[in-house]
Amino acid sequence: MKNNQNRLLSNGLFYIVVFLLLLWGINWALGGSNNGGGSENISYSQFVKDLRQGKVKNFSVQPANGVYTVTGSYKNAQTTKNQSNNSFDFFSNNSSRKVSNFSTTMLQNDSTVSNVQNLAQKSNARMTTQGESQSGNWISTIVMLVPTVLFIVMLWMMMNQSGAGRGGSGGIMNFGRSHVKPEDPSKNKVRFSDVAGEEEEKQELVEVLEFLKDPSKYTKLGARIPSGVLLEGPPGTGKTLLARAVAGEANVPFYSISGSDFVEMFVGVGASRVRDLFNNAKKNAPSIIFIDEIDAIGRRRGNGTGGGNDEREQTLNQLLVEMDGFEGDEGVIVIAATNRSDVLDPALLRPGRFDRKVLVGRPDVRGREAILKVHAKNKPLAPDVDLKEIARQTPGFVGADLANVLNEAALVAARRNGTEITASDIDEAEDRVIAGPAKKDRLIAEPERRRVAFHEAGHSICGLVLSDSRTVRKVTIVPRGRAGGYNIMLPKDDQFILTKKQLFEQIVGLMGGRAGEEATIGDKSTGASNDFEQATAIAHSMVVNYGMTDSLGMVELEKEGETNPYGFKPYSEATSAKIDEAVKKILDEAHAKALEIVKENKEKHRIIAEALLKYETLDEKQIMSLYKTGKMPEKYESEYPSESKASTYEEAKAAAEKREVEKAEKKDSDQALADQEKDALETPSEKNHEVEEHNAENPEKNQNTDSTKTDSPAEDDEHKDN
């Protein structure tokens, strides 16, 4: 009911109707009395005519607004039509009626007055005069001003209602306010114990919280509270999660806002919202402000086309002043998160504004294991699941990726009606996250299938021969996503620094697919396009970022991860030609090396390809066995049921229905067994008592028993609803 009332009040049509009703009421109160009660507004000529005919009984003359107002009464009631001259009288009709009073106006000149006096004497009509009235001016003024004031009030109420729908107490006139309220601690259940794999990062934030709780511990040593903490790192590493944990652990007001919330179409709104946000935080100090994606307003100044009056730059300037201005904001700590710290303004990064810069990077193998343990708390895992092995198989995965892997594994297990998440489910989930779901029902021609097998076997051979840095984890020819097959080659250990040899071996492994096709089939195909894309990116980085070529030397020609705007290149055309030549040279050398490896291991390449055609998917142990012995392991079982047996929706639905039937049958059998055990344990006296209760001679007991049985399900339902 309350929602319906709010919806009615926020409707603009409602205010329009209210305005028209009020306008009509004012018109009726001020001017309707002249037309009601048997009164008629007539013309001066009609008044003179009635006066000559002796219809007028008496009348009075009163000057007002430069004319004479004449009001009087007839000797006998006159029949007239109800025609209103008032433009606001929407509810008047044209029916005939009897009137006994009249009103009119006449000019203020002597001839007119004398003429009326003479006619009044001849017709024996009593004429009276009155002094000038000031009420007419007030009435006309009110009639003009009241509708205008009402319209302004209604318009203001409509704007206020429309602005309140944006999540704040303010309306359209309060767009400069931030509308950010301190977060309710009871709604946030995230704590530092829920953040795994980021122990150093948590320690930096724990010190900030301890400073807020017990500042004397630090102030007696001359330390001051940090003004800001900048969390930077790749997407999905847990920057926002850390901030939520800070909000959960802190017993101080916590203001959370996004960088894009400061951006508005009105000029100066961003700066105004920054001021309002910090003012609210100062009033409740000590407090914490969290700005997510601060790069939306904190980009380097001078790069835009708007000049010094750019709205974004005004917002940034106000943020700089608030964080470390003339007054200083003791007790207000700003925590910001971004994955583009390289584009932030240098003034924003200096000490005094962001005193601490915490890099929330990709977790190592121990961090990934800890993250997996956190996300696996509420998931039933089978005994064959080894989280440490999963962490070892997922280098480069961030926290969001690992959470997605376990979630996909749970979905895969539910699809096969499993009660636990097995190792094969997690393996399938990893493939889903990397390449997408398997397309087992796709019809593939045998020549194309054979080409894909030799292509993937070429990748595997190159990875097995050049195994110093990378290990072949899995290879399959089952289509996934846009790929007809894929090969997973992961580093043996976490690598934070890559050498020239390791990068070159990665390119050779990528070129192994095309080399495998050329060495066996002889023709080239489009299946290696993604391999060339990755290989070109690595070779280009080796040339322009890492200085690993002799022709160009140790020069950083481009910043890693950045693209030049408007196609601008910070080097000459001659240098660009040298870059293209150096990249092509690296790719050609890698392709020649891959072709050499495939030709030298032609027989092993054929064995792996034929095994792929037979089994479709091979894991690390099977590939190593084929590479060393040429045979599959003795104990081989299909460890990828989701790839080998892709059930349709109908099959999955039938399996689910069968499962429900089995559950019902099991429940019935368990209930029957329990009843038998109960009967066996009952004594003869208890049985006789039960027979008496169900006997027809005891209707009261039967009635009570039936009512109890009838009421119990209702009670259960009520408990369920609650």
Side-chain angles (χ1 to χ4, degrees):
M1 185 67 182
K2 187 176 181 181
N3 295 332
N4 294 332
Q5 292 178 356
N6 295 333
R7 193 179 298 112
L8 178 63
L9 295 176
S10 61
N11 193 355
L13 183 61
F14 170 76
Y15 292 102
I16 294 174
V17 173
V18 171
F19 173 73
L20 293 177
L21 291 175
L22 290 175
L23 193 63
W24 175 81
I26 294 171
N27 174 69
W28 180 84
L30 296 178
S33 59
N34 297 329
N35 297 330
S39 180
E40 179 189 13
N41 190 10
I42 62 177
S43 61
Y44 173 73
S45 59
Q46 182 65 34
F47 166 66
V48 173
K49 183 179 178 181
D50 293 341
L51 199 59
R52 284 177 180 168
Q53 295 177 358
K55 298 180 180 180
V56 179
K57 180 181 179 181
N58 55 44
F59 65 92
S60 63
V61 180
Q62 184 180 18
N65 298 327
V67 296
Y68 287 120
T69 302
V70 181
T71 58
S73 60
Y74 294 109
K75 294 179 180 178
N76 300 315
Q78 304 292 317
T79 303
T80 183
K81 290 185 176 181
N82 188 14
Q83 295 179 349
S84 177
N85 295 325
N86 197 337
S87 59
F88 297 103
D89 196 0
F90 304 109
F91 302 95
S92 63
N93 53 35
N94 295 328
S95 61
S96 301
R97 61 172 182 152
K98 296 285 187 179
V99 294
S100 57
N101 300 320
F102 67 91
S103 63
T104 186
T105 57
M106 65 181 184
L107 299 176
Q108 288 186 355
N109 55 49
D110 296 338
S111 61
T112 304
V113 175
S114 61
N115 185 29
V116 171
Q117 287 178 348
N118 294 331
L119 292 175
Q121 292 177 358
K122 291 179 181 180
S123 61
N124 294 324
R126 186 166 60 89
M127 176 180 175
T128 58
T129 58
Q130 298 179 3
E132 185 175 1
S133 176
Q134 301 295 328
S135 62
N137 297 329
W138 287 103
I139 291 174
S140 61
T141 304
I142 291 173
V143 171
M144 293 290 294
L145 290 179
V146 169
T148 306
V149 173
L150 285 175
F151 179 75
I152 294 173
V153 171
M154 295 296 176
L155 184 62
W156 177 81
M157 293 178 65
M158 292 172 62
M159 291 179 176
N160 195 33
Q161 288 290 335
S162 63
R166 297 193 304 148
S169 57
I172 193 170
M173 302 306 294
N174 295 324
F175 53 79
R177 298 184 180 180
S178 61
H179 304 298
V180 180
K181 297 181 180 179
E183 185 174 342
D184 188 4
S186 61
K187 296 181 179 179
N188 188 6
K189 305 297 183 182
V190 182
R191 298 295 184 268
F192 279 132
S193 58
D194 300 322
V195 183
E198 299 172 353
E199 300 303 322
E200 293 81 4
E201 293 84 351
K202 287 195 291 185
Q203 184 61 34
E204 296 290 329
L205 297 174
V206 166
E207 289 183 0
V208 174
L209 292 178
E210 290 181 352
F211 203 118
L212 292 173
K213 295 177 181 179
D214 186 18
S216 61
K217 176 182 176 182
Y218 300 89
T219 54
K220 65 182 181 182
L221 298 174
R224 64 175 181 86
I225 188 170
S227 299
V229 179
L230 180 64
L231 305 176
E232 56 176 313
T237 52
K239 299 183 295 294
T240 306
L241 184 65
L242 272 172
R244 289 182 61 84
V246 171
E249 295 283 350
N251 294 321
V252 298
F254 189 90
Y255 298 85
S256 178
I257 192 171
S258 175
S260 60
D261 292 337
F262 297 106
V263 182
E264 193 63 74
M265 64 176 289
F266 302 105
V267 178
V269 172
S272 177
R273 289 180 178 176
V274 170
R275 287 192 295 269
D276 185 71
L277 174 63
F278 276 84
N279 288 334
N280 294 334
K282 290 179 197 175
K283 293 177 183 178
N284 300 304
S287 58
I288 298 176
I289 296 175
F290 174 64
I291 305 176
D292 198 7
E293 304 296 342
I294 195 174
D295 53 282
I297 59 170
R299 288 181 176 266
R300 193 185 308 270
R301 290 169 291 182
N303 293 333
T305 58
N309 290 325
D310 187 15
E311 170 67 12
R312 180 182 53 78
E313 293 190 1
Q314 291 186 21
T315 306
L316 175 59
N317 293 336
Q318 187 63 44
L319 182 62
L320 296 176
V321 172
E322 293 292 343
M323 288 190 67
D324 189 21
F326 188 77
E327 297 179 357
D329 295 330
E330 295 293 335
V332 178
I333 298 177
V334 180
I335 301 177
T338 180
N339 50 22
R340 294 295 307 277
S341 61
D342 54 321
V343 302
L344 296 179
D345 193 272
L348 192 63
L349 299 176
R350 74 161 177 84
R353 293 193 173 107
F354 284 109
D355 302 276
R356 293 186 178 182
K357 303 175 187 64
V358 180
L359 177 61
V360 187
R362 301 181 184 275
D364 56 6
V365 61
R366 286 186 296 180
R368 291 194 298 272
E369 184 181 355
I371 294 171
L372 288 169
K373 288 181 180 179
V374 170
H375 292 291
K377 286 182 179 179
N378 59 342
K379 295 179 175 63
L381 301 179
D384 61 342
V385 176
D386 188 2
L387 296 180
K388 185 177 292 186
E389 180 65 21
I390 298 172
R392 191 179 68 87
Q393 295 177 357
T394 53
F397 278 45
V398 296
D401 296 330
L402 296 173
N404 193 25
V405 166
L406 290 181
N407 185 64
E408 286 288 341
L411 295 176
V412 171
R415 181 177 298 177
R416 62 173 179 81
N417 297 325
T419 58
E420 293 180 331
I421 300 174
T422 62
S424 61
D425 296 331
I426 295 179
D427 187 86
E428 166 68 12
E430 293 178 7
D431 296 341
R432 282 173 163 269
V433 171
I434 296 173
K439 298 181 179 180
K440 189 67 180 180
D441 58 343
R442 178 182 294 178
L443 296 177
I444 304 174
E446 188 61 28
E448 182 176 345
R449 190 167 178 267
R450 181 176 178 82
R451 180 184 292 275
V452 173
F454 279 100
H455 180 101
E456 301 301 335
H459 287 303
S460 302
I461 286 294
C462 293
L464 291 168
V465 173
L466 306 174
S467 61
D468 293 338
S469 59
R470 300 225 161 198
T471 304
V472 181
R473 302 289 188 188
K474 183 180 179 181
V475 59
T476 180
I477 60 173
V478 178
R480 287 184 178 270
R482 298 181 180 179
Y486 66 96
N487 192 301
I488 300 178
M489 290 186 291
L490 301 176
K492 292 182 177 181
D493 302 308
D494 290 315
Q495 296 176 341
F496 301 99
I497 297 177
L498 296 174
T499 64
K500 182 180 179 180
K501 178 184 177 185
Q502 291 173 343
L503 292 173
F504 183 75
E505 288 183 357
Q506 290 185 29
I507 299 175
V508 173
L510 292 169
M511 292 294 178
R514 171 61 63 85
E517 295 182 38
E518 293 178 351
T520 54
I521 301 174
D523 193 11
K524 301 177 181 178
S525 69
T526 60
S529 60
N530 185 256
D531 300 334
F532 296 156
E533 181 182 353
Q534 298 180 48
T536 305
I538 297 173
H540 190 268
S541 298
M542 292 173 64
V543 176
V544 301
N545 298 126
Y546 309 137
M548 294 182 176
T549 55
D550 297 333
S551 59
L552 291 166
M554 293 169 285
V555 180
E556 186 189 37
L557 300 173
E558 296 178 5
K559 288 189 176 183
E560 189 177 3
E562 281 193 8
T563 57
N564 296 316
Y566 311 109
F568 174 75
K569 296 181 180 180
Y571 42 81
S572 63
E573 291 295 331
T575 304
S576 179
K578 290 183 179 179
I579 292 173
D580 296 339
E581 184 180 352
V583 170
K584 185 177 181 302
K585 183 180 178 182
I586 294 174
L587 296 177
D588 290 342
E589 291 178 357
H591 175 260
K593 182 67 174 178
L595 192 61
E596 179 185 350
I597 292 173
V598 172
K599 289 182 177 180
E600 290 179 356
N601 300 271
K602 189 175 182 180
E603 184 63 23
K604 297 179 180 179
H605 177 243
R606 182 188 62 80
I607 291 173
I608 295 175
E610 291 179 353
L612 283 173
L613 290 172
K614 182 178 180 181
Y615 301 105
E616 292 189 337
T617 301
L618 302 174
D619 62 3
E620 181 180 357
K621 297 179 181 179
Q622 295 160 2
I623 294 172
M624 289 300 297
S625 178
L626 291 170
Y627 179 73
K628 293 181 179 180
T629 64
K631 298 179 180 179
M632 289 286 290
E634 295 181 358
K635 296 181 179 180
Y636 171 73
E637 296 180 357
S638 179
E639 299 183 0
Y640 310 98
S642 57
E643 290 186 355
S644 59
K645 298 179 181 179
S647 60
T648 62
Y649 173 77
E650 289 78 10
E651 293 174 351
K653 184 179 179 181
E657 292 176 353
K658 183 179 179 182
R659 183 183 176 187
E660 293 295 330
V661 172
E662 292 177 353
K663 284 184 177 179
E665 292 177 353
K666 184 179 180 183
K667 185 177 180 180
D668 294 340
S669 61
D670 294 341
Q671 184 66 31
L673 183 62
D675 293 341
Q676 291 178 3
E677 293 178 353
K678 183 179 178 181
D679 292 339
L681 294 173
E682 284 182 347
T683 60
S685 60
E686 292 176 345
K687 291 183 178 181
N688 294 332
H689 182 67
E690 186 178 355
V691 170
E692 290 179 358
E693 287 183 346
H694 290 84
N695 195 352
E697 297 178 357
N698 297 323
E700 296 179 359
K701 293 184 178 181
N702 291 337
Q703 186 177 358
N704 294 334
T705 305
D706 295 339
S707 63
T708 304
K709 291 182 179 180
T710 306
D711 294 341
S712 57
E715 294 176 359
D716 295 339
D717 294 339
E718 186 177 355
H719 291 307
K720 290 179 182 178
D721 295 337
N722 294 333

